[in-house]
Amino acid sequence: MTKKTVTEQYPDVQPDLPPRTRGVIGLFEENCTVCMLCARECPDWCIYIDSHKETVPPAAPGGRERSRNVLDRFAIDFSLCMYCGICIEVCPFDALFWSPEFEYAETDIRDLTHERDKLREWMWTVPAPPALDPAAEEPKEIAAARKTAEKLAAQAEPQEGDS
């Protein structure tokens, strides 16, 4: 109450947003396996996914054909979305991310359903994740990989000295 109020001149001056602002959801389409977890877990049922199965030839001769899901449609209806982030949290393949974009207003509510092309565009505005804490404990996966690499290097050294 003792400070002078400052009016934000919004359309002319863009606001300074926190680095991990929740604006819209961006889609990294290459990582999407059409597992449908995001659509099933969404409390508002605002995610629409269509796909079809495609047969993939064997990787090696004599192998068997595999089938995989191919994404046909991925859309989010932002007029229904409550921005809870459950879809982003449950995605096991890191295909959904928060983008700080917030200027996507429409004059017609039916235009707030954004298809995968628009979601892909927003993906490129997603900021990089924050750096890891230097004092944090090393992840167990990296520690195990390092031990294996050191063991293999130790086994390879005596063989090189023998010849």
Side-chain angles (χ1 to χ4, degrees):
M1 297 203 33
T2 59
K3 291 178 14 180
K4 184 178 177 181
T5 59
V6 178
T7 303
E8 296 286 333
Q9 304 296 323
Y10 165 59
D12 300 326
V13 179
Q14 291 295 319
D16 291 329
L17 300 173
R20 303 301 287 174
T21 299
R22 288 184 176 192
V24 293
I25 298 168
L27 170 68
F28 191 54
E29 196 173 333
E30 291 77 20
N31 285 358
C32 183
T33 61
V34 196
C35 66
M36 306 289 273
L37 277 173
C38 55
R40 281 185 284 175
E41 294 296 324
C42 179
D44 291 333
W45 292 86
C46 64
I47 299 175
Y48 310 109
I49 301 174
D50 292 329
S51 67
H52 70 275
K53 289 211 181 274
E54 193 173 85
T55 304
V56 179
R64 67 180 184 138
E65 292 182 338
R66 306 264 181 193
S67 66
R68 68 180 186 116
N69 289 326
V70 177
L71 186 65
D72 292 329
R73 179 181 187 222
F74 193 104
I76 299 176
D77 187 349
F78 286 104
S79 66
L80 296 175
C81 182
M82 64 181 185
Y83 303 90
C84 64
I86 292 174
C87 57
I88 295 168
E89 294 298 322
V90 300
C91 181
F93 302 104
D94 289 335
L96 298 173
F97 294 89
W98 283 116
S99 169
E101 292 295 314
F102 63 93
E103 296 175 318
Y104 56 97
E106 299 287 345
T107 56
D108 187 2
I109 197 167
R110 292 172 289 198
D111 294 335
L112 282 172
T113 301
H114 294 289
E115 299 292 331
R116 68 182 182 179
D117 295 334
K118 188 67 174 174
L119 299 175
R120 186 184 318 118
E121 286 177 29
W122 284 329
M123 182 60 210
W124 306 120
T125 63
V126 173
L132 296 175
D133 183 6
E137 185 178 308
E138 185 178 44
K140 61 184 177 189
E141 295 87 356
I142 295 175
R146 180 173 288 118
K147 282 182 185 178
T148 304
E150 289 171 357
K151 187 187 296 184
L152 291 173
Q155 290 175 353
E157 286 178 14
Q159 292 173 354
E160 291 174 5
D162 292 339
S163 31

